[in-house]
Amino acid sequence: MSRKQPFQSSIGIRFNDIDAMGHVNNAVIFTYFEEGRKALFYDTFRESAPGGFNFMVAHLECDYILPVRLDDRLLLDLWVTAIGTKSFGLGYALKDVTDANRIFAKGSSVQVCYDYQQRQSVPVPQTLKKALLAYQLPS
């Protein structure tokens, strides 16, 4: 069953995230997306060990809309965009906590389910598919 809201995760800005131009370095935005994925999977499966994430990121993209400064307060919206046979897609929107219309970055990623022992892609497990469906927003 679809949710009406995406999964949300607070994102803390570290002083180390700021570059010489006084804003969060563009590469760090991908780390914020990663932190959101980690929070989603912890919330869903209570999994925190690296071995519990049986997928790998196959594609990641980002559109930078506004610079993020050290004093900004961030909220990451994350939702499932697609579920395939062996992969699933996620969407991201990095927003201001106090103004949801102020969007700093939007992105997407494709994760491929992977058996690290066999070193090959595998079908999306039914338990994962069921959990992902709860976060899939209507197109």
Side-chain angles (χ1 to χ4, degrees):
M1 181 163 188
S2 293
R3 293 177 185 258
K4 295 193 185 336
Q5 300 280 333
F7 178 82
Q8 294 187 317
S9 179
S10 294
I11 301 293
I13 302 169
R14 303 166 299 188
F15 183 76
N16 189 44
D17 295 346
I18 307 301
D19 63 17
M21 302 306 293
H23 55 73
V24 170
N25 184 275
N26 63 303
V28 175
I29 301 299
F30 288 113
T31 301
Y32 294 166
F33 291 174
E34 179 182 50
E35 287 296 306
R37 283 193 305 276
K38 180 183 77 176
L40 170 69
F41 282 90
Y42 181 78
D43 184 70
T44 302
F45 296 108
R46 295 295 179 225
E47 184 61 64
S48 60
F53 297 88
N54 294 327
F55 60 84
M56 64 173 57
V57 175
H59 178 80
L60 185 61
E61 65 183 23
C62 180
D63 292 322
Y64 304 98
I65 300 166
L66 293 171
V68 179
R69 308 241 181 248
L70 186 59
D71 60 346
D72 287 320
R73 293 183 40 223
L74 304 177
L75 183 67
L76 180 68
D77 283 356
L78 189 144
W79 62 95
V80 175
T81 60
I83 303 171
T85 305
K86 293 185 174 185
S87 65
F88 59 95
L90 297 174
Y92 308 86
L94 188 63
K95 306 184 310 186
D96 187 301
V97 166
T98 59
D99 181 359
N101 293 319
R102 188 168 178 234
I103 299 173
F104 298 101
K106 292 181 180 180
S108 64
S109 62
V110 176
Q111 292 68 217
V112 174
C113 291
Y114 195 77
D115 182 325
Y116 285 92
Q117 302 253 353
Q118 299 292 322
R119 295 183 172 196
Q120 64 184 18
S121 61
V122 296
V124 177
Q126 286 302 314
T127 54
L128 176 57
K129 186 179 278 191
K130 183 178 178 183
L132 291 172
L133 285 170
Y135 293 99
Q136 190 166 21
L137 296 180
S139 311

